[in-house]
Amino acid sequence: MKALLLAATAALLCAAASPPALDTKAIAKARFGNDAPWYENRIPFFESADPKIDAVYYYRWSLYRAHQRDLGERGYISTEFLDDVSWQLEPWASLNDATGFHLGEGRWLNDRRFADDYIAHMYNGGNDRHFTDYMADSVWGRYLVDGDRAGATRHLAAMRTLYGQWDDHLDRAKGLYWVEPLLDATEYTISSIDASGGQEGFFGGDAFRPSINAYMFANARAISNIASLSGDAATAKDYTARAAAIRTRVERDLWNPALGHFIDRYKVDNQFVKYWEPIRGRELVGYLPWTFDLAADDPRFAAAWSHVLSPTELGGAGGMRTVEPSYQYYMHQYRYESGVFTGGRPECQWNGPIWPFQTTQVLLGMANLLDHYKQSVVTRGDYMRLLRQYTQLHYQGDALDLEEDYHPDTGRPIVGLGRSHHYFHSGYADLILGGLIGIRPRADDVLEVNPLLPDARDPQALAWFRVQDVPYHGHRVAVTWDATGQHYGRKGLSIDVDGRTVAQRPTLGRLTVAVTRVASPPIDRPIDRAVQLKRTDFPKGSASTAEEAENVHDAIDGRVWFFPELGNGWSSKPSPVQQWYAIDFGKPVKLERAELAFFADGGHFAAPRAYRMQAWVDGQWRDLPAQADAPLANGITHARWPALTTSKVRVMFDLTPNRAMRLVEAKLY
C-alpha cells in the first residue's frame, strides 16, 4: 500500500512545476572566476539561507580541484597536501590516509573520471599501507551514488589482497586490530604519550583502537557487498562473518562503561602501560563506530554523544577537541618545526587540538545517528551548530584557507606551516549533500532524502536551500527546501529527477522515490603527454629565465591551482618582455592541442599579453597554425592545431611590462 501511495503521489507530481533552476553558469563565474568552466558541468550546485555554508561549499570544490594531480597515463589522483611532503608515496605524492575523504567528496561529481582513476591507482600499487584507511568502504560508497557495478567489482581481488595484508596488525587472540597512532595519522594521542611516560608520543603507543577496527569492519562489509554484486557468494559470506566478529569484539572490549565511551586498549607492554589496559581518557576517535554504522542501536552507547556536546569535555568553543581537558597532557606541545622550541612553529598533535580530519568523521557519524538510530541525546540543532562551527574553521579573517589543526578554545590555526594551506584531509561537500540535504545513497533503485535540519523554532534552522545536478544512479537530481514558500514559490521539500518533480512534502522529513538506474556515460580520458613526475626523466622542461630545476619542473608536474598562499609553476623573471618555455619529449609524440594555466595576483605576476605555440620541425622551431584563446589569468587557456608529430614544443610569450609570469601548468594532448 505504501508503495502504491508513493507511486500515485509521484504521478500527481509529474505535471507540477519544478522550483526555478539555479543559474549555474553565473554561480560558477561568481565563485570560481576564470576557472569556472572546470566546474560548470562537474559539481552539484547549491545555495541556502546561510551564505557562509554556501561559500565554504564552493571553496571545498576549489580545494578538490586543486588537489587533483594528473599522473599522465595513470590518470588523476587526489593529494592530501598541495606541495610535496617527505612522507608521501613517490613519485605520485599520494597518501592513503586521506583517500576516504577524497572519494567521499569525488563520488558526487558528474565527471566520474577523478574517482575512477584514483581507485584504480590505489589498487595498482598506490596504497602502501603507510596509514590505516577504509578504501574498500569508499569504493562501495561511490557505487551507492553512481550505481556503476563494473566500476565497483573490478577491484574485488585487489580489495581482498589488501585486506589480508592487514593480518600483520591483527591480534588473533583478541580478534581485534591494533596500530601505532602515528600510522593511524594521529600522533600524540593518549596511548602514544602515556606509553612514553609523558615524555614523547610521536612514535609508539601501539593500541587496539576504535579507528582501525571500524575501518576494517567497514572494509569487510564493503567487500561482502561487492562480492555479492559479483555473484561470489562464498566471499560475501566470509566477509560478512569477519565484519560481524569485529563488531562483537569492539562492542564488548573497546567500550569502557566507566567512561561511557569507546576507547583504546594497549597492545604495547612496557614500564608505563600494560597490554590490554584501557587508556585513561576519552578521545574523539571513540565516535568512529557510528561513522561506519558499527555501533549497535543501544541507548547505552548513544549516551556517549553527550561528551561531544559538553563544553567541559570534547565540545570546545572553537570546535571538537580530540582529547578532553581533564587529560594530564592536554594541549601540551611536544614537537616544533625543525625541533626549535623558541620561535619554531608547533607541529601536529592529537592531544586536544581540533582536526578537520576527525571533525568530518564525527559529523558523518552524527548524521548516521540522527538518520537511523533511536536516541534522544543529539538533536538536529546540535548537528547544524557543529556543522556551522566546522564551517567557520575554513575562514582566516575574510579569506578561505583550511589548515591542518586548530585551537579548541579560539578556533584559530595552531600549526600554520607552509604545507598546511588548503589542506585536504577532511570532507565538507559530503556533509552538505549527505547530511544537511540528507541524500542517503542506497544500493537499490530508490532515492532517499532526509534533511538533517531542525524545525523553524530552532536557532539553527535553515529557511531554504536548493541543490541541483547531483548525480545518482545515472540521473541528475535536485532537492529543494522552502519553509514558507516565499523563496522558491513552493512550500516544503521536493525532489526533482532529470528536471521533473517526483516527490514532495510540506514539512521536513524523509522522502523516498523509486529511481530506475541507467548506465552512466563512458568516462573520457585524454592523456597529458607533457606531465613528468620525476625531475630527471623525459619529458623535460626548459625556460628562458629562472632556470632553477625545481622552478622549471613545476610547470609539468601535473598540478593546477591558483591559490596565492602556495606558488606552483614556472615563475619567470620580469624581463625581458619576450620569453619562452619548452618541453622536450625525448621522442616523437603526436599532439593537437594545449592547455595553459597562468597565475596572476594583481601585482608581481600577470598573464602574458600574448603567446604563440611552436614545434620542432626539421631541426628548427616553427610556429604552429594554432587557434589560440587569448591568455587567461587563473583559468585554462586553450590552443588547438592540426595534429602533428614532434619531439619538442615551445611556447613563446610576450610578458606584461614590469611583471613576471607564472606558467602554472603546460598540458599537451
Side-chain angles (χ1 to χ4, degrees):
M1 179 60 71
K2 183 177 179 182
L4 289 172
L5 274 173
L6 183 61
T9 302
L12 286 171
L13 287 167
C14 286
S18 297
L22 303 179
D23 186 343
T24 57
K25 197 172 189 70
I27 294 171
K29 183 65 177 177
R31 297 290 182 181
F32 307 114
N34 287 339
D35 204 30
W38 191 91
Y39 302 88
E40 284 178 12
N41 294 309
R42 286 191 170 103
I43 69 169
F45 281 81
F46 168 74
E47 68 174 13
S48 76
D50 189 324
K52 282 200 167 183
I53 289 177
D54 294 7
V56 172
Y57 175 82
Y58 288 109
Y59 164 71
R60 289 301 299 238
W61 282 121
S62 72
L63 197 71
Y64 183 91
R65 191 273 205 264
H67 281 274
Q68 296 313 299
R69 189 177 195 191
D70 190 343
L71 305 183
E73 293 284 354
R74 285 183 75 95
Y76 283 88
I77 65 164
S78 298
T79 59
E80 181 177 339
F81 296 91
L82 284 181
D83 220 342
D84 293 317
V85 293
S86 61
W87 57 95
Q88 67 193 19
L89 183 59
E90 297 291 2
W92 308 302
S94 59
L95 287 164
N96 69 302
D97 55 328
T99 301
F101 299 114
H102 299 159
L103 292 174
E105 304 282 276
R107 64 180 178 155
W108 298 107
L109 285 174
N110 287 289
D111 186 344
R112 297 165 52 247
R113 178 182 185 182
F114 300 102
D116 203 70
D117 283 359
Y118 191 26
I119 292 167
H121 169 81
M122 295 303 284
Y123 281 125
N124 185 28
N127 189 340
D128 62 346
R129 294 197 304 134
H130 189 105
F131 297 102
T132 55
D133 66 51
Y134 42 101
M135 182 76 206
D137 180 70
S138 301
V139 175
W140 177 249
R142 183 208 180 203
Y143 168 74
L144 295 181
V145 172
D146 71 7
D148 180 6
R149 182 188 300 260
T153 58
R154 71 169 59 101
H155 302 292
L156 179 59
M159 289 177 187
R160 294 180 63 185
T161 297
L162 189 62
Y163 194 96
Q165 288 172 347
W166 280 101
D167 282 354
D168 61 5
H169 282 69
L170 175 63
D171 185 317
R172 295 188 182 279
K174 299 298 185 185
L176 288 168
Y177 291 86
W178 58 270
V179 71
E180 180 184 31
L182 175 61
L183 300 186
D184 215 13
T186 56
E187 59 272 22
Y188 294 99
T189 62
I190 291 178
S191 62
S192 61
I193 293 172
D194 283 2
S196 76
Q199 299 302 305
E200 244 294 336
F202 187 71
F203 298 107
D206 296 354
F208 303 96
R209 311 199 75 214
S211 49
I212 186 174
N213 285 285
Y215 299 162
M216 296 305 287
F217 163 82
N219 286 333
R221 181 186 56 195
I223 292 171
S224 175
N225 289 333
I226 292 168
S228 293
L229 286 181
S230 301
D232 185 346
T235 295
K237 182 178 180 181
D238 177 18
Y239 280 84
T240 294
R242 295 182 192 223
I246 295 171
R247 167 180 271 149
T248 297
R249 299 297 179 93
V250 168
E251 290 181 343
R252 186 188 70 191
D253 295 332
L254 299 189
W255 176 257
N256 186 314
L259 293 174
H261 207 65
F262 287 106
I263 50 83
D264 295 8
R265 286 183 180 272
Y266 287 103
K267 171 72 165 61
V268 66
D269 193 320
N270 63 23
Q271 60 182 314
F272 303 112
V273 298
K274 297 303 177 188
Y275 175 82
W276 202 241
E277 278 186 350
I279 61 171
R280 56 178 171 138
R282 300 185 190 99
E283 296 179 311
L284 210 58
V285 71
Y287 294 111
L288 266 64
W290 285 273
T291 305
F292 299 97
D293 278 332
L294 181 156
D297 194 355
D298 185 329
R300 174 175 55 112
F301 296 147
W305 286 89
S306 64
H307 308 307
V308 80
L309 303 180
S310 169
T312 61
E313 296 175 305
L314 294 169
M320 302 180 204
R321 301 181 178 104
T322 47
V323 176
E324 291 182 339
S326 58
Y327 176 54
Q328 180 182 359
Y329 301 106
Y330 172 76
M331 295 299 291
H332 178 79
Q333 187 67 44
Y334 287 92
R335 192 176 178 89
Y336 291 79
E337 185 181 24
S338 304
V340 179
F341 282 78
T342 304
R345 291 180 180 273
E347 274 275 13
C348 302
Q349 300 186 176
W350 288 75
N351 57 348
I354 306 162
W355 280 81
F357 163 11
Q358 215 158 71
T359 296
T360 304
Q361 292 182 321
V362 173
L363 286 170
L364 288 168
M366 185 178 285
N368 287 338
L369 185 79
L370 290 165
D371 181 76
H372 50 264
Y373 282 75
K374 298 179 180 67
Q375 56 84 39
S376 58
V377 181
V378 175
T379 68
R380 296 181 177 210
D382 294 324
Y383 176 84
M384 284 301 296
R385 178 180 63 82
L386 293 175
L387 178 65
R388 284 186 163 112
Q389 190 182 56
Y390 176 37
T391 299
Q392 186 59 43
L393 294 179
H394 291 74
Y395 281 90
Q396 310 300 327
D398 294 330
L400 287 162
D401 181 4
L402 187 68
E403 300 205 26
E404 288 186 79
D405 65 344
Y406 297 79
H407 199 289
D409 296 338
T410 66
R412 304 303 302 159
I414 293 175
V415 175
L417 302 175
R419 68 171 192 244
S420 301
H421 294 293
H422 308 292
Y423 180 56
F424 192 19
H425 193 172
S426 60
Y428 191 84
D430 198 28
L431 297 174
I432 300 301
L433 297 168
L436 186 156
I437 294 163
I439 301 171
R440 309 296 298 184
R442 295 168 49 149
D444 59 8
D445 292 335
V446 173
L447 171 62
E448 180 176 0
V449 175
N450 181 27
L452 298 184
L453 296 178
D455 63 36
R457 295 167 294 180
D458 193 295
Q460 297 295 335
L462 197 61
W464 50 267
F465 69 71
R466 177 174 169 84
V467 68
Q468 67 182 55
D469 303 321
V470 180
Y472 189 75
H473 293 195
H475 300 273
R476 289 211 179 192
V477 169
V479 181
T480 309
W481 161 246
D482 191 338
T484 65
Q486 294 178 355
H487 194 79
Y488 294 113
R490 189 167 74 186
K491 181 179 178 180
L493 179 68
S494 62
I495 300 174
D496 293 2
V497 176
D498 298 330
R500 187 183 68 177
T501 300
V502 296
Q504 186 181 359
R505 56 178 292 157
T507 59
L508 286 167
R510 197 180 306 272
L511 276 176
T512 57
V513 62
V515 176
T516 302
R517 77 184 60 202
V518 297
S520 298
I523 297 171
D524 187 28
R525 285 191 169 88
I527 305 299
D528 175 16
R529 302 300 175 185
V531 71
Q532 180 51 257
L533 309 183
K534 298 179 180 178
R535 276 60 170 170
T536 56
D537 291 354
F538 288 104
K540 294 180 180 179
S542 59
S544 53
T545 66
E547 301 170 79
E548 298 83 2
E550 191 64 23
N551 184 42
V552 172
H553 178 262
D554 278 355
I556 54 171
D557 66 354
R559 294 171 163 129
V560 176
W561 71 77
F562 304 107
F563 295 129
E565 293 84 1
L566 281 172
N568 178 52
W570 169 61
S571 300
S572 77
K573 302 279 188 185
S575 62
V577 170
Q578 292 190 332
Q579 297 197 36
W580 54 264
Y581 186 91
I583 300 168
D584 183 350
F585 296 95
K587 63 182 180 181
V589 177
K590 186 178 180 180
L591 301 169
E592 60 185 10
R593 66 183 182 91
E595 294 180 3
L596 306 175
F598 301 114
F599 172 76
D601 59 5
H604 183 68
F605 292 104
R609 293 182 300 173
Y611 69 96
R612 66 185 191 275
M613 305 294 304
Q614 296 184 324
W616 188 253
V617 179
D618 297 330
Q620 60 183 316
W621 290 110
R622 293 187 179 177
D623 288 351
L624 287 169
Q627 295 178 343
D629 295 350
L632 191 67
N634 302 326
I636 304 302
T637 300
H638 298 271
R640 303 164 186 82
W641 55 85
L644 88 161
T645 299
T646 183
S647 62
K648 300 178 188 178
V649 167
R650 186 168 72 173
V651 193
M652 302 294 297
F653 304 105
D654 290 339
L655 272 60
T656 301
N658 303 313
R659 296 289 185 271
M661 65 161 281
R662 177 176 287 161
L663 178 62
V664 173
E665 193 76 5
K667 294 191 172 194
L668 293 164
Y669 301 90

